Amino acid sequence: MTILELKVYIEERFPKLWSHVEISLATTATLLLKNNANPTGLILVGPPSSGKTTILNMFIGLDEITYYTDYFTSKSFVSHTARKKNQTTEQIDMLPRIHKKCLVFPDLGVILGKRRDDVNENLTIFTRLMDGRGLSTDSGTLGRRCYSGDFFFSVLGVATSMSRCH
């Protein structure tokens, strides 16, 4: 299917969503840029039932280019767990699994709806990851865990805006 055919297909079924689908496709396509210096992220924000999740669903199941998750924490990217049997930490870590893929998550509210300290930690680590240079962490359990070098990915997410009632 060409991009023009896709546009016609989307406009016939979801007349108001094409511009959002197009920018979501562009965000994912940044992974193909030869001299890309940083990950690219797009958070679709709008009221409930405005088509945000419909757009995101178009990217789910494309396992070669997307990595879908409903929830993650800052510790998901580079784990320090010592409890997993039959798996190495490299198999558990999310950072290598999203490398050269588009991280897709349907509700930013799940991440932002935590305690203030948890939100700050999640956003601090995520901001560091958006530099595209990996992540180094230390703990008393496993010591230093590090992924360095180019770790490019893109991000498609959704957040619901709620109007304030006075």
Side-chain angles (χ1 to χ4, degrees), residues 28-40:
T28 305
T30 61
L31 296 169
L32 302 173
L33 297 173
K34 183 177 181 182
N35 294 319
N36 190 359
N38 297 99
T40 302

Side-chain angles (χ1 to χ4, degrees), residues 8-94:
V8 169
Y9 180 87
I10 297 296
E11 287 179 336
E12 286 175 355
R13 288 156 181 81
F14 310 102
K16 297 179 180 181
L17 296 185
W18 172 248
S19 63
H20 297 90
V21 171
E22 185 176 35
I23 195 163
S24 298
L25 288 167
T27 299
T28 305
T30 61
L31 296 169
L32 302 173
L33 297 173
K34 183 177 181 182
N35 294 319
N36 190 359
N38 297 99
T40 302
L42 174 68
I43 306 299
L44 301 171
V45 180
S49 301
S50 60
K52 302 176 305 298
T53 303
T54 300
I55 294 166
L56 227 57
N57 286 340
M58 296 175 193
F59 292 85
I60 294 173
L62 307 172
D63 296 339
E64 289 184 27
I65 59 170
T66 64
Y67 182 89
Y68 174 84
T69 186
D70 284 308
Y71 177 76
F72 60 87
T73 67
S74 59
K75 292 172 178 51
S76 303
F77 294 100
V78 178
S79 173
H80 282 268
T81 185
R83 296 183 181 163
K84 291 287 183 183
K85 305 259 185 207
N86 303 326
Q87 283 186 308
T88 66
T89 49
E90 289 79 14
Q91 292 171 314
I92 297 168
D93 296 342
M94 194 166 125

